[in-house]
Amino acid sequence: MPRSDLDLERISSRESAEARTTADERGTDARKPEHSAQKPEHSPKLHRGVLTSGAADHLAALLARSVQARCGLVHFVEGDRLRLYGEYGLETPREVIADIPIANSLSGLVVTLGREVVIDDLAADPRGSVMLPKGASRRPGAFLGRPILDDQGTVLGVCCAFEAGPRRWSAEDLAAVDEAAKVGTLLITEQLARYEVDRQRRFLDAVLDSLHDGVTACDADGKIVLVNRRMHKLWGDARVPQNLGENATVAGLTDAQGEPLGHDDITLLRALRGEKLRGDELIVHGRGRPARHYIVDAQPIIGPDGRTLGAVQAVQDVTRRKRAERFRTCELSVITALADAPGIEAAGPRVLEAIVRTLGWTHAELWLVDDSASEAAETAVIRSAAQWSAPGWEAEIEVPAELPYGVGLAGRAWQAGKPLWIRDVGSPQSLISPETAAESQLHAALAIPVRHGLEAFGVLTVFAGSAENADDELVALMSGIVAHIGQFVERRLVEDLQRQLTRTKNEYLALIGHELRTPLTSIGAYTELLREADARTLAEDGPAMLEVIDRNTTQLRHIITELLELSALDTGHANVHLTPLDLAEVVQEAVDRTREAVAGEPLTIATDLPTELILPGDRKRLRQVVDNLLGNAVKYSPDGGRITVTLRVTGRCAELAVADTGIGVSPDERDKMFTGLYRTSRARDRAIPGSGLGLTLSRAVVQRHHGTVELVPHEGPGTTVLVKLPLDAR
């Protein structure tokens, strides 16, 4: 049963007295305790994996045989308990005493006292009852135990011997047990040292495996002895070399300038020869994959005697950092190229050169949508605007002049409206013909649409000399470059619009000044004449002068009214009331009014109108449009001719066409006719009066009706204006 510390102290006092008496009787100090009787400090709890039971079993057998005892035991202290690690001749089942409290055993008594315990007869000695249950009778036997101490005197364990019957232990027996305890000390110390080495090694392995750098070490013979997890990852699928003599250690390896490195240039081998390397840059070129950039630190491992024990190197993968630097360089080069270029066509070659040189691509192309092509997808094309190949690329790269919408890599990217990555253009269904891919020796490809607002106006395509998987970072970079190109185009368009606006404003002011000055001059001149005229002159010429003043005043009022209406329509302040109306009736009324105005002139007005054509519209505004178109047809047919007015239904639209055989409009001036105050050169040359506001005002009205108005190709001399209006309300 467990005993209190007071009971143990009493037992200790009796045992000490008996030991001194026995020693005096034998005339020897062999039983004199070597350590203080004070209660010693127990060793810290040892992990079960520190010590092995095999060596402890041998020690227990050696102990039992040396004292010729029936049983030998070796206990190790684990906290407040004793763990049985070695036994010899044990009759009791091992699990019974494998793990026992220190306070409930004779071995625990040795631990508590911190010195040897000698009992010749367990049945007669009061200490023999330590291991007995309460009320149990004592058995004959003898016990001899000695603590296993470390260098600081801490109890690590117990060596003890048991005899089945009473026995007087001799001085030689005590010496043998003492030697066994010392061997136990050596055993435990060695095992603890091994455990500590293993523990430190595990800590070191954990630290090395947690590093972002790859670490490799070799011994003095060049044999690889340490490779951390990161280094294994850097090697990838390649087999880790066993020594520095293998060629695999230099395959595809170059310096920062791209010069191949030989076997003697291996950084770990150089460190083994005594060099200390800091920040050496290496590049590993793998077939079918991008090059990887590394920074290496390496140094020799020097022993205490000054001899080289080996070498160690730390490898840091700086590919991402190098790529980021190239990305910044590329972006800066592109921005510089765009800043100095007058237009996208001029900037194209310089932009492509910057991309190819800084990012390591092999070939790049810039495609622009042909604005002059039809808007229909089946006839739209994209044209090659610029291309650039890496210097020294010997393969022939054939670039077509144009690609239809959705055809080829550029055409498909234009159609898809998003980046397209092709791992290998030589593979089937890669959007590039096998012949072109084989001749050009190009492989990976990336195509990104170049946008102006929401509309793609071009495509940037780049190619590599090796097959590569999609790279999100690279796609993001190229998308950023494409955005710069798009911003450049938008900026140039804004600048062009600003120049056009300034020019238009100047023309507008000049024309307004001219158009307003002419009637004002007439009004002022005739007003002055009336002021200075005598009674006779007023009576004879006054009415004619007033007629001129009235006519010019009306013209002036008309110009001002048109300007105000145009401004109101453009800003959305003018009201347009869409109600069902008969457009055929509106057109017929305008034609009848015009015929009355040109009666007697050498001019014919022919019509092809349906009996009725109902659509939603503003009757007053649409009548204004028809009057403007007929008025222009009459005005620009000064020598007479034929005016044809046609109204018909096409699909869900009404088409009104007004054609004349007058002086006509040149093709390059057709679009300008709908800009404010623009008049054709032919009208100016012939001094045909007008403000140039009629078509501009008509376009504003038609657009408010969700329709279109344009000058269409015309057979022979003259002009045809086509107005399209929807039949359904929107």
Side-chain angles (χ1 to χ4, degrees):
M1 294 292 293
R3 299 197 174 194
S4 64
D5 291 343
L6 182 59
D7 293 335
L8 290 177
E9 288 298 331
R10 291 172 179 173
I11 293 174
S12 174
S13 300
R14 289 197 300 269
E15 196 278 338
S16 299
E18 292 175 2
R20 285 194 297 271
T21 302
T22 306
D24 292 339
E25 292 175 352
R26 296 182 180 180
T28 177
D29 59 353
R31 295 184 180 231
K32 185 178 181 180
E34 299 178 2
H35 300 280
S36 170
Q38 294 180 349
K39 188 176 181 180
E41 294 183 0
H42 299 167
S43 66
K45 185 175 180 180
L46 303 178
H47 191 275
R48 294 186 181 185
V50 175
L51 305 171
T52 58
S53 62
D57 286 339
H58 290 297
L59 178 60
L62 178 63
L63 170 63
R65 289 170 180 169
S66 63
V67 298
Q68 297 181 354
R70 184 163 185 172
C71 176
L73 301 177
V74 177
H75 293 277
F76 291 149
V77 176
E78 290 188 4
D80 61 349
R81 305 186 70 83
L82 287 174
R83 180 80 59 183
L84 179 64
Y85 270 84
E87 54 89 8
Y88 174 79
L90 182 64
E91 296 180 355
T92 304
R94 185 183 181 103
E95 58 270 14
V96 174
I97 61 173
D99 184 5
I100 59 176
I102 290 178
N104 195 31
S105 66
L106 288 172
S107 297
L109 182 61
V110 176
V111 174
T112 303
L113 298 175
R115 56 184 174 82
E116 65 184 23
V117 173
V118 181
I119 301 177
D120 296 335
D121 187 355
L122 291 173
D125 196 297
R127 293 169 298 178
S129 62
V130 172
M131 299 178 58
L132 296 177
K134 186 176 181 180
S137 60
R138 300 182 181 182
R139 293 183 179 182
F143 172 82
L144 175 58
R146 189 174 180 85
I148 301 174
L149 307 174
D150 63 8
D151 295 340
Q152 286 74 37
T154 302
V155 178
L156 302 178
V158 176
C159 286
C160 58
F162 283 93
E163 192 60 72
R167 170 179 175 176
R168 185 172 180 81
W169 301 100
S170 65
E172 290 77 10
D173 295 336
L174 295 177
V177 174
D178 182 62
E179 291 296 329
K182 293 178 180 178
V183 172
T185 298
L186 296 176
L187 174 63
I188 293 178
T189 303
E190 180 183 1
Q191 294 290 339
L192 286 174
R194 290 181 180 179
Y195 173 76
E196 183 62 23
V197 170
D198 181 71
R199 188 176 68 89
Q200 293 181 2
R201 182 184 61 80
R202 291 176 183 273
F203 270 100
L204 178 61
D205 290 343
V207 171
L208 292 176
D209 286 341
S210 66
L211 295 178
H212 291 290
D213 293 359
V215 179
T216 308
C218 68
D219 60 15
D221 298 325
K223 181 180 178 181
I224 304 297
V225 295
L226 185 148
V227 180
N228 73 340
R229 184 177 303 169
R230 179 61 177 170
M231 197 68 201
H232 278 286
K233 187 175 182 180
L234 294 181
W235 254 303
D237 297 333
R239 184 181 65 85
V240 178
Q242 299 299 314
N243 58 74
L244 297 180
E246 296 187 24
N247 292 330
T249 56
V250 294
L253 194 63
T254 69
D255 59 14
Q257 288 71 40
E259 294 295 329
L261 298 181
H263 179 268
D264 291 340
D265 299 319
I266 300 174
T267 52
L268 195 58
L269 189 59
R270 292 169 59 188
L272 192 60
R273 293 197 298 262
E275 293 187 53
K276 289 186 177 181
L277 309 177
R278 291 292 181 270
D280 269 28
E281 184 174 349
L282 302 177
I283 306 175
V284 177
H285 303 269
R287 178 174 298 180
R289 58 182 180 179
R292 307 293 299 182
H293 295 255
Y294 301 96
I295 296 295
V296 182
D297 293 339
Q299 66 181 32
I301 301 174
I302 307 299
D305 57 355
R307 292 187 301 174
T308 300
L309 303 179
V312 62
Q313 70 175 8
V315 181
Q316 182 181 5
D317 189 341
V318 294
T319 304
R320 294 174 67 90
R321 189 178 75 191
K322 288 291 183 181
R323 170 178 288 188
E325 293 174 357
R326 293 203 314 273
F327 284 2
R328 288 193 296 269
T329 302
C330 178
E331 190 172 15
L332 179 60
S333 300
V334 169
I335 293 174
T336 303
L338 292 173
D340 299 334
I344 187 61
E345 291 80 4
R350 294 186 60 188
V351 169
L352 299 184
E353 179 184 3
I355 294 173
V356 170
R357 288 186 181 276
T358 56
L359 297 184
W361 290 100
T362 300
H363 178 72
E365 300 166 358
L366 179 63
W367 299 78
L368 298 178
V369 176
D370 188 356
D371 293 331
S372 63
S374 172
E375 294 181 357
E378 59 271 11
T379 58
V381 297
I382 189 169
R383 302 188 184 279
S384 174
Q387 56 179 296
W388 184 271
S389 298
W393 190 259
E394 299 178 356
E396 182 179 355
I397 302 177
E398 183 179 354
V399 180
E402 64 181 39
L403 289 171
Y405 182 77
V407 176
L409 180 58
R412 183 64 63 83
W414 177 25
Q415 180 187 46
K418 62 182 181 180
L420 296 180
W421 184 290
I422 298 180
R423 183 181 184 277
D424 191 350
V425 298
S427 60
Q429 301 178 348
S430 69
L431 305 178
I432 295 180
S433 66
E435 296 78 11
T436 301
E439 292 176 0
S440 64
Q441 299 182 16
L442 300 176
H443 293 279
L446 172 63
I448 302 181
V450 184
R451 296 187 177 278
H452 162 45
L454 298 177
E455 182 180 358
F457 71 88
V459 175
L460 176 65
T461 57
V462 289
F463 298 84
S466 60
E468 299 179 11
N469 293 323
D471 188 331
D472 293 339
E473 289 186 1
L474 192 55
V475 173
L477 166 75
M478 297 304 296
S479 298
I481 291 176
V482 164
H484 282 299
I485 298 176
Q487 292 172 1
F488 168 80
V489 172
E490 290 184 355
R491 187 169 61 252
R492 287 293 182 266
L493 287 175
V494 169
E495 293 173 356
D496 291 342
L497 288 175
Q498 288 176 340
R499 286 192 292 268
Q500 293 177 12
L501 180 61
T502 301
R503 184 172 61 251
T504 301
K505 182 180 68 174
N506 294 334
E507 293 176 354
Y508 174 82
L509 292 175
L511 186 57
I512 285 294
H514 177 270
E515 294 299 328
L516 295 179
R517 188 184 301 113
T518 300
L520 285 174
T521 301
S522 297
I523 293 172
Y526 280 95
T527 301
E528 186 67 25
L529 289 175
L530 288 173
R531 183 183 296 112
E532 296 177 356
D534 53 18
R536 181 181 176 182
T537 302
L538 287 176
E540 295 178 354
D541 301 329
M545 293 181 183
L546 290 175
E547 179 66 26
V548 172
I549 292 174
D550 181 66
R551 184 173 65 252
N552 283 278
T553 301
T554 301
Q555 180 182 354
L556 186 61
R557 185 183 299 111
H558 178 71
I559 293 174
I560 294 174
T561 300
E562 285 188 330
L563 286 172
L564 292 175
E565 288 185 354
L566 179 61
S567 176
L569 288 169
D570 286 341
T571 58
H573 295 155
N575 294 325
V576 177
H577 302 286
L578 302 182
T579 59
L581 59 84
D582 185 356
L583 183 60
E585 180 183 353
V586 173
V587 174
Q588 186 63 57
E589 291 177 357
V591 170
D592 293 341
R593 176 72 180 273
T594 304
R595 280 173 175 165
E596 294 177 4
V598 298
E601 299 290 337
L603 189 63
T604 302
I605 300 178
T607 61
D608 181 8
L609 307 176
T611 57
E612 184 182 71
L613 201 163
I614 305 298
L615 53 72
D618 188 311
R619 186 182 186 89
K620 178 183 176 181
R621 296 291 185 185
L622 291 180
R623 172 63 185 273
Q624 188 179 13
V625 171
V626 179
D627 287 341
N628 281 335
L629 298 184
L630 289 173
N632 283 341
V634 172
K635 186 187 303 182
Y636 293 111
S637 302
D639 300 328
R642 181 181 179 85
I643 297 175
T644 303
V645 181
T646 304
L647 180 63
R648 62 182 179 179
V649 175
T650 302
R652 297 305 302 167
C653 288
E655 291 187 351
L656 171 65
V658 179
D660 63 65
T661 57
I663 63 175
V665 179
S666 61
D668 58 336
E669 290 183 305
R670 287 175 182 169
D671 293 336
K672 299 177 182 179
M673 293 297 296
F674 296 95
T675 59
L677 301 170
Y678 183 83
R679 306 192 66 216
T680 66
S681 57
R682 297 176 184 178
R684 294 194 299 268
D685 293 341
R686 298 195 181 194
I688 298 176
S691 63
L693 291 171
L695 286 180
T696 305
L697 186 61
S698 298
R699 182 191 62 176
V701 172
V702 171
Q703 287 178 343
R704 294 295 298 273
H705 283 75
H706 308 289
T708 61
V709 57
E710 60 180 333
L711 270 67
V712 297
H714 181 88
E715 293 184 4
T719 304
T720 298
V721 181
L722 180 64
V723 177
K724 294 182 180 180
L725 296 171
L727 296 178
D728 303 320
R730 296 184 181 180

